[in-house]
Amino acid sequence: MRENPRTSFSGHTLQSPWDPLDRAYFNGYALWTYLMDLSFGPDHLLRRHDHHVDVAGGFAAAQYVHDFVEADGIVLPTRRRAYRRDADDRPLVHQVMVSIDLSDVRFR
């Protein structure tokens, strides 16, 4: 157990190893971040999410979502890719930071 999991990232770089508690904290933190600061397409579906990653050394990121499916009436992306952003806010597509693929999506 960690009293303040955020402090365990102090001094982390992109090359720092993560333990299971680091990953658990980041997953919760990332999920909250993924729900904020969003860009939508003309179809009102999420397309891009720009944010700043405060852990792992801190960097600007751009996330792209695509391959939408409908599951029990809810439309959601099945593919998510997060890239570092350059000074002009363009994604550095050769630097994939997060890659999430979902399949067989359903809600119970």
Side-chain angles (χ1 to χ4, degrees):
M1 181 172 147
R2 292 192 179 131
E3 292 294 322
N4 187 351
R6 181 71 167 227
T7 60
S8 70
F9 288 93
S10 180
H12 266 218
T13 67
L14 289 177
Q15 292 76 30
S16 296
W18 288 17
D19 65 26
L21 289 177
D22 291 334
R23 288 190 292 278
Y25 173 81
F26 180 77
N27 285 339
Y29 164 84
L31 182 59
W32 175 255
T33 301
Y34 296 164
L35 299 175
M36 303 298 177
D37 191 17
L38 310 171
S39 298
F40 296 89
D43 56 4
H44 308 290
L45 295 175
L46 178 66
R47 297 296 178 212
R48 179 174 164 161
H49 172 212
D50 289 351
H51 60 94
H52 192 269
V53 178
D54 295 326
V55 298
F59 57 89
Q63 289 195 44
Y64 290 89
V65 296
H66 53 95
D67 293 355
F68 289 84
V69 298
E70 183 175 332
D72 298 320
I74 300 171
V75 178
L76 66 151
T78 60
R79 305 287 181 259
R80 179 181 296 272
R81 299 294 181 270
Y83 308 96
R84 293 183 70 172
R85 283 185 286 147
D86 66 15
D88 294 320
D89 287 333
R90 291 182 302 237
L92 302 170
V93 295
H94 62 284
Q95 294 185 24
V96 178
M97 306 307 291
V98 173
S99 176
I100 300 172
D101 296 327
L102 303 176
S103 62
D104 193 27
V105 178
R106 60 187 161 193
F107 298 98
R108 296 187 192 254

